[in-house]
Amino acid sequence: MAKLPAEFEVVIDKLVFGGEGLGYFEGRPIFVVGVLPGERVLVAPAKVTGKFAQARLLKIIKPSPIRLEPKETQYLSTSPWQITPVANQQQFKIDLVKEVFSKFATLPLPDVALTPSTSEWGYRNKMEFSFAVDEQNKLVLAFHQRYSWKRFVAVAEVKIAHPMISTVAHKILLELRQRNIPLTVLKNLLVRYSHHQNKCIAALYVVDAEFTPFNIDLPELSGWLIVYSDPKSPIAKTTKILCQVKSATLVEQLGDKLFQYSYESFFQVNPPSFNLCAQRMRELAQPHPTSPWEGEGQLLSPPFQETVGPTESPPFQGGVGGGLLVDLYAGAGVIGMLLSDKYQKVVIVEFDPAGTIAAKENIQLNQLDNIELIGGRAEKEGLPSILAGADTVVVDPPREGLHQKVVEKIIEAKSSQLIYLSCNPATQARDWKLLSTQYKATHWELFDFYPQTPHVESLIVATIKK
């Protein structure tokens, strides 16, 4: 195909799964973020392949009648769907999820409902900021521009995040300016918020192992860390903690339970809306009332025995319900623990060491005596024996979806019920194509955890085919 010009116009035909708009220029598909169907826009090539291109939005030439003015300058990096009312966003999400299931599998059910978020703005409890310098060579908080790791856009406020997050981030930025900390040693700033504590925790990631630590005393902070992160890694991940003041964890309430998690652990980013989803899972979970689990309660942690350490288990009494629940990809153990009172026994499987530690602490924090914790990758930790006799299997995997071996073992186990919560309906659809050979959907629902963005959570509840 011919080389694309430096700037060109394109008419957006439709939105595709993932939130980009699709148009065509001289027969080549062009994908653009921050546009709506029917709009004519001016764009510049950003990433070009032989078959298609992704382009940066420069100007709206002919706007859609449902377009709104964005509330932020960096909206393309954080929340590109704030350009249209939430009701329109929700319909787009329903249509795109149904389209992706039709493409990769079959619809679990003919129709799918969508439960709105409890808040349209200020819902995120976690933000990770980059750093840049402005025209006056002043240090600023920034996000990467869409389709680029080299271009940055300065951040004044992140309106989809809880307001305290922006407040804390800018106070830390001011401290960095006053200390003349150079951009070259900075990597990222992570700020997380707890509704339960009404506090934040902040971690400053630096690329200099000899960085001189300092404390920052803010009333909004329950913990402050300075972390050395290997500069060879593109992501902000702890190599060594250089400084820790107060706590490295937050505590959040979900349902009637408290959950502690570390600054780097996975945790739900919209807890109030997740509560709605958890309540739906509680309503639909079907323990077998006549098959009590016979065994002893215990906390296990292979293969991270040295990290987690031995644990004294409380006397095993079991939940008020019957049967066995197995929670795979469990993270801090949230779903399994919220359903634990409905089952005689719950087995939680989580491979991440930080998640395993958090799950262990949360079992003790909530004084749960019918949970067994297994630390290990779900696809490697003897799944047939773990799934044996399970009445309900719960999976909440990362965006990559279920490992194929996990799908195979779930199918082989033929548990009575499967609950599959997904943050990526595309990989859920891929998995459902196989799972639907043995399972029949009884409930399908979307949860809008992420207003102003294309992302949506998908919940499928299914029972084994007779």
Side-chain angles (χ1 to χ4, degrees):
M1 288 187 173
K3 183 179 180 180
L4 291 171
E7 296 181 1
F8 58 94
E9 293 183 14
V10 64
V11 175
I12 304 303
D13 290 346
K14 58 182 289 190
L15 295 180
V16 298
F17 188 81
E20 294 172 301
L22 170 63
Y24 295 87
F25 182 80
E26 297 181 351
R28 178 182 294 184
I30 307 295
F31 296 93
V32 188
V33 169
V35 295
L36 296 168
E39 293 189 324
R40 177 180 291 276
V41 295
L42 181 67
V43 299
K47 293 184 177 181
V48 181
T49 71
K51 295 183 178 180
F52 68 91
Q54 293 173 309
R56 289 186 296 109
L57 177 64
L58 300 178
K59 182 181 179 181
I60 304 293
I61 297 172
K62 180 185 176 183
S64 165
I66 62 172
R67 172 172 281 272
L68 300 175
E69 277 297 312
K71 296 178 180 288
E72 305 163 305
T73 57
Q74 80 278 358
Y75 76 100
L76 291 176
S77 299
T78 57
S79 45
W81 276 17
Q82 62 177 266
I83 56 174
T84 194
V86 167
N88 294 332
Q89 298 175 30
Q90 293 170 351
Q91 189 59 54
F92 285 142
K93 292 178 182 185
I94 292 172
D95 294 343
L96 291 172
V97 169
K98 293 178 74 171
E99 181 180 305
V100 80
F101 266 87
S102 297
K103 179 179 180 181
F104 293 115
T106 57
L107 296 181
L109 292 169
D111 291 303
V112 59
L114 184 146
T115 296
S117 173
T118 57
S119 301
E120 295 181 359
W121 299 95
Y123 60 85
R124 278 193 67 95
N125 64 1
K126 174 186 176 182
M127 291 303 303
E128 191 167 339
F129 301 88
S130 297
F131 294 98
V133 292
D134 62 15
E135 295 81 0
Q136 289 76 42
N137 206 36
K138 183 183 294 186
L139 189 68
V140 295
L141 298 172
F143 292 125
H144 291 280
Q145 283 191 10
R146 190 68 69 160
Y147 306 136
S148 174
W149 281 100
K150 296 181 179 179
R151 296 173 179 264
F152 293 88
V153 56
V155 178
E157 181 184 9
V158 185
K159 292 188 179 294
I160 61 172
H162 189 280
M164 190 181 291
I165 289 178
S166 291
T167 297
V168 166
H170 281 280
K171 288 183 177 181
I172 293 172
L173 173 66
L174 181 60
E175 183 73 19
L176 295 174
R177 287 175 177 174
Q178 292 175 342
R179 291 177 176 271
N180 294 315
I181 306 296
L183 175 65
T184 53
V185 304
L186 298 173
K187 192 171 190 177
N188 286 78
L189 174 64
L190 173 67
V191 184
R192 305 184 76 160
Y193 171 78
S194 162
H195 292 267
H196 177 70
Q197 296 171 282
N198 194 30
K199 293 281 186 178
C200 285
I201 191 169
L204 177 68
Y205 291 82
V206 299
V207 295
D208 179 5
E210 304 302 320
F211 184 87
T212 303
F214 64 89
N215 183 26
I216 181 166
D217 187 16
L218 301 178
E220 299 92 346
L221 285 182
S222 65
W224 162 248
L225 299 96
I226 298 179
V227 176
Y228 169 63
S229 181
D230 186 351
K232 296 178 182 178
S233 172
I235 62 173
K237 196 73 176 175
T238 298
T239 304
K240 180 182 179 182
I241 294 177
L242 304 179
C243 167
Q244 178 182 328
V245 180
K246 298 181 182 178
S247 180
T249 62
L250 285 173
V251 177
E252 189 59 88
Q253 181 169 354
L254 295 172
D256 61 350
K257 294 178 174 60
L258 295 177
F259 294 91
Q260 181 172 283
Y261 61 98
S262 78
Y263 67 100
E264 276 190 345
S265 292
F266 168 79
F267 200 77
Q268 298 294 335
V269 300
N270 186 346
S273 291
F274 177 79
N275 271 331
L276 300 178
C277 182
Q279 180 58 38
R280 187 75 75 247
M281 286 187 277
R282 283 188 55 80
E283 294 168 359
L284 298 171
Q286 295 178 347
H288 197 296
T290 60
S291 61
W293 179 266
E294 295 180 0
E296 296 181 356
Q298 55 183 329
L299 292 177
L300 303 178
S301 335
F304 309 118
Q305 195 74 30
E306 293 183 2
T307 303
V308 179
T311 300
E312 291 295 327
S313 300
F316 180 71
Q317 297 177 354
V320 297
L324 170 65
L325 169 73
V326 175
D327 181 7
L328 305 178
Y329 302 91
V334 171
I335 297 177
M337 294 185 207
L338 289 178
L339 300 180
S340 63
D341 64 314
K342 299 194 70 172
Y343 291 82
Q344 182 74 2
K345 183 175 181 178
V346 174
V347 175
I348 288 175
V349 182
E350 172 56 40
F351 79 90
D352 176 59
T356 305
I357 293 171
K360 171 190 168 184
E361 293 173 344
N362 290 327
I363 291 169
Q364 296 171 329
L365 179 64
N366 292 285
Q367 299 182 338
L368 301 174
D369 60 14
N370 63 329
I371 295 181
E372 177 180 341
L373 172 61
I374 299 177
R377 289 188 181 273
E379 64 270 19
K380 293 182 179 179
E381 287 305 305
L383 265 187
S385 61
I386 293 173
L387 295 174
D391 295 282
T392 300
V393 176
V394 175
V395 291
D396 182 13
R399 294 191 61 79
E400 305 87 70
L402 298 177
H403 192 284
Q404 185 172 345
K405 291 182 180 178
V406 174
V407 175
E408 293 170 355
K409 298 307 178 185
I410 290 175
I411 291 173
E412 291 173 8
K414 296 183 180 180
S415 301
S416 298
Q417 185 181 49
L418 173 66
I419 299 176
Y420 189 159
L421 180 63
S422 173
C423 60
N424 186 355
T427 53
Q428 187 186 42
R430 176 204 67 199
D431 298 338
W432 180 248
K433 183 178 181 179
L434 297 175
L435 292 167
S436 62
T437 62
Q438 289 289 339
Y439 284 91
K440 177 182 179 180
T442 58
H443 187 86
W444 186 26
E445 185 172 359
L446 305 181
F447 289 86
D448 194 10
F449 288 1
Y450 321 102
Q452 323 306 335
T453 83
H455 303 296
V456 67
E457 208 86 1
S458 174
L459 174 67
I460 296 175
V461 180
T463 56
I464 195 73
K465 291 180 178 179
K466 303 298 184 183

